[in-house]
Amino acid sequence: MRIAIVQNHPAFGEKKSNVEALIKAVGSVKADLFILPELSYSGYQFLSREEAFNLSDDMKAPCLDALRNTAARNSAALVFGFPEKSKGKIYNSSLAVLPDGREYLYRKTHLFYKETLFFSPGDLGFTIFDYQDAKIGMAICFDWFFPESFRSLARQGAEIIAHCSNLVMPYCQRADFAQAVQNRVFIATANRIGVEARESETLRFTGGSVLVSPKGDYLLEGPPDAPAVLAAEIDPRLAKDKQLNPYNNTFKDRRPEFYL
Ligand code: ACM
């Protein structure tokens, strides 16, 4: 399976042109599965709940339709972050749209920093789905900080974790090494670049998107400060084998009776 990571630089609130740039990025390489960043076309630094609500989309929104059509046109699956409104609430969500029309929704479980002021915490649990010969798990940015997130996806059978991100701390890209090895999964962290300073606080997004293999190899690494579309061929079967050696198994050797 060929995986592509899109690292973008959205302009805050410019949804239409940001979606157009994403569509162009997806069209620029051939891949089976594209992972895009968190809140991939809205921007991140909302100043009020009202602003976040007004920039959010329900499932019938034109931005979602444009990305659904892109999946069909490119015969590829897309996983992208977007601000979702549903029943008066706003979620920091990601949507997987598959070329056969199937789609899967995930709502960010662990909200980061001022997201807690605007978004409701995800209420769907961790989402996984089948695609081609692999199981894909969905996570969003700060979910990485809680090892239970990727562990829960891996224990449900996920072999590739589609991790849509807007990272501002410098740790995740290196921490992915440990979580990929410990869960024997591929982790694709698609991160954005750029700066948002819509209030006194400046947020700098760290780019450096990565694709890490179950053996800890960095198969893709994006630049820290430029948009990029990166692609690599992977064999999802690598993530199906949880046997470390003849004596140790990633999951069977767990001792949950001693864990808090
Ligand atoms: C984050 O969760 N966007 C850091």
Side-chain angles (χ1 to χ4, degrees), residues 218-232:
Y218 279 71
L219 305 177
L220 296 172
E221 284 191 81
D225 51 7
V229 187
L230 313 158

Side-chain angles (χ1 to χ4, degrees), residues 167-169 193-196 202-206:
L167 293 159
V168 291
M169 296 195 295
I193 62 155
V195 171
E196 286 187 8
T202 298
L203 296 179
R204 269 171 217 291
F205 301 94
T206 58

